[in-house]
Amino acid sequence: MPTRILPAVGDADAVRSLTTLLSQLPDAEPVAPVVDSTQLVDTLARLAAESVDELPEVVVVHERIGPVPALELIREVALRFPAVGVILVTTDASPGLFQAAMDYGARGLVALPLSYEELASRVQAVAQWSVGVRRHLGAGGDVFTGVGGTVVTVSGAKGGVGATLTAIQLALAAQASGRATALVDMDLQTGDIASYLDVQFRRSVVDLAAISDISPRVLADAVFRHDTGVSLLLAPGEGERGEEMTDRAARQIVSALRSRYEVVVVDCGAQLSGAGAAAVEMADLALLVTTPDVVAVRGAKRTVRMWDRLQIRKAEETTVVVNRHARASEIQPALIQKITGTAVAATVVPANFKELQAAVDAGRIHELDNKGVVKQALWGLAGELGLMRATEGAHRGGGRFRGDRGSVSFRRRRELGP
């Protein structure tokens, strides 16, 4: 049986060199190369959705792949697709990098310039390992086998614009429609998800920061299952512990959650941390919540420009959500779109704090009235973003979703999940 090899190389010259050598290997079947980390993960997810057997046995990752660094990409592939063996191609063949590559989940390392003998030996060994893993994958091993869910980050243009409320309601809507959903509080110093939902739990997201290999069992111990069915990964009670969370740890945590849940909603707050930046960079959807006032819109523009300068997220890949909207507002969504250069969600959230106040004060934000305009708008936003799965009997322009007796109208802009 031929060994399927998927090269992940961003440099055109390196692509030609690598694919030429791979095509000369015995029993090798190189497939069309991918040029960046996003295309690699999307390709593997599409193949895994059909069958584990459709996945290539070997993935060859070049050291200059981007935008996610090569080692971080290897960790994500190893975590999400455990039946795939990864080889790192690098100019640095030092023992230190070799050990780091192994720690991140690589099965081999090949030095540049490429040697036919070395490449052939590594590919053969990794392919044999991959075949062995596939034989035992269904034998009850404690590994992730999910093809990957949709990750949505929710950030605030400034404090107090409603990012946490938005994140919570999006997660509730997704869960109520029948999609397994996790809600993560990545606002590490001032996160309020626990207060909004009136929960107390001794573990937090930072308890996972020091763990190099997050197994399903470890993840299950860290999450809190809310009465609504949403799995919560909360911010630490002591804000100073937020410093324990590195961008590397955040990537690993988000990857682990993506492998176990259909929808992962991450509340990143209004302050950009390394962990929050990593989550925004990895997200399928990055939402930026603003209110239609000068200060908040300026904050949104500032955030978008900062993300672009830091190469976290391009403006056109960001979606602004307008909260507390009123028809009489001088600043309307079209103007916000022009100012920020982003997409703007078609669904706007109306201003009606009276509807929210009692639930917020009681820590029962999950019990908002189904007929309330704020809840209907936020759940409509979830539908627009493709986070909700319509159940049987749903119709165009509205539908009933499991766990919610109200009828929610929404416009589906694009389908991101299964």
Side-chain angles (χ1 to χ4, degrees):
M1 179 179 176
T3 299
R4 291 161 297 179
I5 308 169
L6 174 59
V9 188
D11 181 80
D13 292 335
V15 167
R16 286 190 293 270
S17 174
L18 182 59
T19 53
T20 299
L21 271 181
L22 290 176
S23 64
Q24 297 173 5
L25 299 182
D27 297 324
E29 184 183 313
V31 297
V34 295
V35 299
D36 58 39
S37 57
T38 301
Q39 189 179 2
L40 172 61
V41 174
D42 288 348
T43 299
L44 293 177
R46 175 175 51 79
L47 294 172
E50 299 176 18
S51 169
V52 172
D53 293 334
E54 295 298 319
L55 288 167
E57 285 76 21
V58 180
V59 168
V60 180
V61 175
H62 192 275
E63 63 179 355
R64 291 199 298 270
I65 196 73
V68 175
L71 289 179
E72 298 290 350
L73 178 60
I74 289 171
R75 180 188 292 278
E76 183 168 0
V77 171
L79 182 63
R80 293 179 58 181
F81 311 101
V84 174
V86 185
I87 296 173
L88 174 64
V89 176
T90 176
T91 54
D92 179 9
S94 66
L97 181 63
F98 180 83
Q99 183 61 53
M102 299 303 104
D103 290 343
Y104 275 77
R107 301 302 307 177
L109 184 147
V110 176
L112 290 169
L114 291 171
S115 159
Y116 174 86
E117 291 76 12
E118 184 182 12
L119 184 62
S121 174
R122 283 291 89 212
V123 167
Q124 182 181 16
V126 173
Q128 290 175 351
W129 173 87
S130 176
V131 171
V133 168
R134 293 176 195 215
R135 289 197 187 111
H136 301 285
L137 192 59
D142 192 21
V143 296
F144 290 112
T145 57
V147 300
T150 299
V151 175
V152 184
T153 56
V154 184
S155 306
K158 69 179 190 66
V161 295
T164 298
L165 173 66
T166 301
I168 292 172
Q169 291 299 323
L170 291 179
L172 291 174
Q175 180 70 40
S177 72
R179 305 189 75 181
T181 303
L183 175 60
V184 186
D185 199 339
M186 202 67 81
D187 187 358
L188 299 172
Q189 292 186 336
T190 58
D192 283 322
I193 287 179
S195 297
Y196 272 87
L197 297 175
D198 191 27
V199 297
Q200 294 182 350
F201 190 57
R202 62 187 181 87
R203 296 194 182 276
S204 73
V205 65
V206 297
D207 291 321
L208 297 176
I211 299 175
S212 59
D213 184 16
I214 303 177
S215 68
R217 186 174 304 169
V218 169
L219 187 62
D221 287 341
V223 300
F224 175 84
R225 178 83 174 204
H226 192 257
D227 293 342
T228 58
V230 175
S231 295
L232 304 177
L233 195 51
L234 303 170
E238 305 81 17
E240 65 273 15
R241 291 198 62 201
E243 297 180 359
E244 299 174 26
M245 179 66 67
T246 64
D247 55 347
R248 171 184 169 183
R251 289 183 185 280
Q252 183 182 4
I253 291 167
V254 172
S255 295
L257 289 165
R258 192 203 295 265
S259 299
R260 302 297 290 180
Y261 296 92
E262 294 179 79
V263 176
V264 180
V265 181
V266 185
D267 179 7
C268 295
Q271 297 291 327
L272 183 67
S273 64
V280 171
E281 184 181 10
M282 295 178 67
D284 300 291
L285 273 172
L287 306 182
L288 182 59
V289 181
T290 186
T291 48
D293 59 83
V294 172
V295 175
V297 174
R298 283 178 178 170
K301 181 179 180 180
R302 185 169 57 245
T303 298
V304 169
R305 287 184 171 181
M306 178 172 61
W307 286 358
D308 189 42
R309 288 195 306 272
L310 298 176
Q311 298 182 337
I312 296 170
R313 197 92 182 179
K314 295 179 180 179
E316 57 269 25
E317 297 173 347
T318 302
T319 300
V320 167
V321 176
V322 182
N323 188 25
R324 301 177 198 148
H325 175 265
R327 292 183 180 179
S329 298
E330 292 186 11
I331 301 178
Q332 292 293 319
L335 179 58
I336 295 174
Q337 183 174 13
K338 182 178 180 180
I339 292 172
T340 61
T342 64
V344 174
T347 304
V348 295
V349 184
N352 190 358
F353 185 70
K354 184 178 179 180
E355 174 188 332
L356 306 175
Q357 187 169 6
V360 170
D361 291 344
R364 310 290 292 179
I365 203 68
H366 53 290
E367 295 181 354
L368 286 179
D369 187 352
N370 293 330
K371 297 180 181 179
V373 294
V374 174
K375 179 175 180 177
Q376 287 194 358
L378 288 169
W379 286 43
L381 175 65
E384 177 188 340
L385 299 173
L387 304 181
M388 302 178 78
R389 177 188 296 139
T391 59
E392 186 176 353
H395 54 83
R396 182 183 180 130
R400 288 186 185 275
F401 299 95
R402 191 169 66 200
D404 181 40
R405 293 188 239 176
S407 179
V408 181
S409 297
F410 64 88
R411 294 177 292 278
R412 186 176 299 275
R413 185 173 62 183
R414 59 175 173 160
E415 189 68 34
L416 292 173

